[in-house]
Amino acid sequence: MSEDIIHYSDSRAYPTIGVILLGGISDKTKRIPMHTSAGFAYRGLEKDIWVDTKVMVNRGKPFGDLNGEEVQYSDTRRSPFVILNHYREKIFNHLNVKEEAALSFRSTNVGILSGSSDAGAAAMGSCIEGMAGGIEDNEKFENELRSISESVGRSLKGGLTVTWADGKSARTERILDPDAFRDYVIIGCSFDIQRKPSDRIHENAVTSPDYPKRIESTANKARELVQLAENRDIKGIFELSHIDTREYHRLNESVGVRIITPEMRNLMDMVDEDRKETWMTYIVTGGSNVFVITERKNMKEVAARYRNHCDSQTLLTVAEGAKIISSSYP
């Protein structure tokens, strides 16, 4: 592994949580979503949660490092080296690199509950954009980054976003800034279980006879979400996500993919009962977390209520998009 660095860019991006949940992608390489979805980037209220990625121009051979583990070089399929190599000439021209050199990366996840691949892809994209002196076609660039993670746009843009998609093309639009969520908190209730592989979820969802209805439903919800965002109706946004969580898991369970464990279901049932008295909702994506959303003023009370019904808790809030935190060039 060569450390003879000529130039570098270091970017930070935040992981994501779905609001209108995604199930189904075009293929395992391009990973274009088959239907419209939505989500937000998140950060920790009391602990560090992010992905830091450094892209480097170095003498010698290209190398990759993910959380201290070597990433073997590959120029095929979903390898990060594919997109690095694609922008190699543009980066070298912008940085005036004349000698023989390689593009390498090092990425570190910190405290992430779910959505790490979105943040990793976004942080790498941010580095590439900075080192290349800008990107001409942002939509095309986002779709290139989807080969690393299909929901990368959420982390790239931050705040609340909608990804409009039809299996052939996709673009992400930020519809609400993080500050709009300042009076609300997401309580990440985590369970020590093995999460289902995302590819299994994507592959099975599309086999449901109800999948065309899911495509129509997500498009309708997205249009409703835009209206709720325009009205800054935060409770309405999370009520919509509560409904979508139920629909998403019904569809997955109908094709044999059961994500929600009995322990997770027990907590969800408690929230459904308690929300009759105190406003709260939940989101359950494809991982091992029940995300309970409530007003900040009720945060301590609600967190205490569920503390002994999960394996750990993390307080979260909505985060900004990916950004460069240091570099070797102006």
Side-chain angles (χ1 to χ4, degrees):
M1 182 180 294
S2 172
E3 294 289 347
D4 194 356
I5 308 302
I6 303 169
H7 289 291
Y8 76 89
S9 179
D10 195 349
S11 183
R12 178 167 295 170
Y14 297 93
T16 69
I17 299 170
V19 171
I20 299 173
L21 304 176
L22 175 61
I25 54 176
S26 61
D27 59 81
K28 289 185 178 181
T29 302
K30 291 184 178 180
R31 306 185 75 81
I32 305 298
M34 293 294 291
H35 64 76
T36 292
S37 63
F40 58 88
Y42 71 88
R43 60 179 176 84
L45 273 181
E46 300 176 339
K47 60 180 288 188
D48 294 338
I49 295 178
W50 58 58
V51 172
D52 275 357
T53 297
K54 180 181 286 188
V55 172
M56 297 154 282
V57 178
N58 63 287
R59 299 180 180 90
K61 295 181 179 180
F63 65 87
D65 182 292
L66 177 60
N67 297 318
E69 298 290 329
E70 182 180 0
V71 177
Q72 292 291 333
Y73 178 84
S74 173
D75 58 4
T76 61
R77 300 194 63 184
R78 297 185 64 192
S79 170
F81 289 107
V82 172
I83 193 164
L84 288 178
N85 289 339
H86 182 73
Y87 285 92
R88 183 177 183 272
E89 183 177 355
K90 186 173 175 63
I91 289 171
F92 282 18
N93 286 340
H94 179 68
L95 298 179
N96 198 32
V97 176
K98 302 296 185 183
E99 61 187 294
E100 189 66 28
L103 280 174
S104 302
F105 72 93
R106 179 177 292 111
S107 189
T108 304
N109 298 352
V110 178
I112 292 176
L113 279 67
S114 68
S116 60
S117 60
D118 289 348
M124 177 166 285
S126 177
C127 289
I128 292 170
E129 182 174 9
M131 298 176 86
I135 297 295
E136 293 177 2
D137 188 335
N138 287 318
E139 183 176 324
K140 178 183 176 184
F141 185 53
E142 179 187 338
N143 282 313
E144 289 174 326
L145 291 169
R146 290 191 201 286
S147 65
I148 302 174
S149 186
E150 57 272 12
S151 301
V152 61
R154 299 174 185 173
S155 188
L156 271 175
K157 296 181 181 294
L160 176 67
T161 55
V162 173
T163 299
W164 307 97
D166 60 6
K168 298 176 182 178
S169 63
R171 64 176 180 85
T172 300
E173 173 189 6
R174 176 158 147 171
I175 60 172
L176 207 53
D177 58 278
D179 187 61
F181 297 87
R182 62 184 179 276
D183 294 330
Y184 297 83
V185 170
I186 303 105
I187 305 167
C189 298
S190 301
F191 295 81
D192 293 337
I193 57 172
Q194 187 72 33
R195 66 166 291 159
K196 294 288 190 297
S198 60
D199 278 344
R200 184 184 173 199
I201 295 171
H202 291 311
E203 289 167 5
N204 282 270
V206 298
T207 67
S208 169
D210 291 329
Y211 194 70
K213 294 180 182 178
R214 177 64 179 163
I215 293 174
E216 182 181 1
S217 172
T218 55
N220 291 336
K221 287 195 187 82
R223 288 189 286 269
E224 182 181 352
L225 193 70
V226 170
Q227 187 63 56
L228 291 166
E230 289 176 355
N231 295 332
R232 299 181 80 84
D233 183 354
I234 306 304
K235 287 185 178 180
I237 289 167
F238 286 123
E239 289 291 344
L240 182 148
S241 68
H242 192 88
I243 293 168
D244 194 69
T245 283
R246 294 176 178 177
E247 181 181 297
Y248 172 81
H249 288 281
R250 278 198 302 268
L251 185 140
N252 278 292
E253 290 170 8
S254 75
V255 292
V257 181
R258 187 171 294 276
I259 296 163
I260 299 170
T261 65
E263 294 80 9
M264 293 168 69
R265 177 62 67 186
N266 178 61
L267 194 151
M268 293 164 68
D269 289 344
M270 292 176 65
V271 173
D272 280 328
E273 184 62 29
D274 293 345
R275 72 195 227 101
K276 296 174 184 176
E277 302 295 331
T278 303
W279 184 85
M280 63 184 84
T281 67
Y282 55 66
I283 299 171
V284 182
T285 61
S288 55
N289 305 281
V290 176
F291 297 103
V292 180
I293 302 97
T294 192
E295 293 176 273
R296 188 181 287 256
K297 65 183 181 182
N298 297 322
M299 172 182 68
K300 292 183 179 179
E301 173 190 343
V302 173
R305 173 81 172 96
Y306 306 124
R307 189 163 292 128
N308 295 327
H309 296 274
C310 58
D311 294 307
S312 62
Q313 283 186 347
T314 310
L315 300 179
L316 312 170
T317 190
V318 179
E320 274 287 358
K323 63 178 181 180
I324 293 173
I325 56 176
S326 68
S327 65
S328 63
Y329 52 90

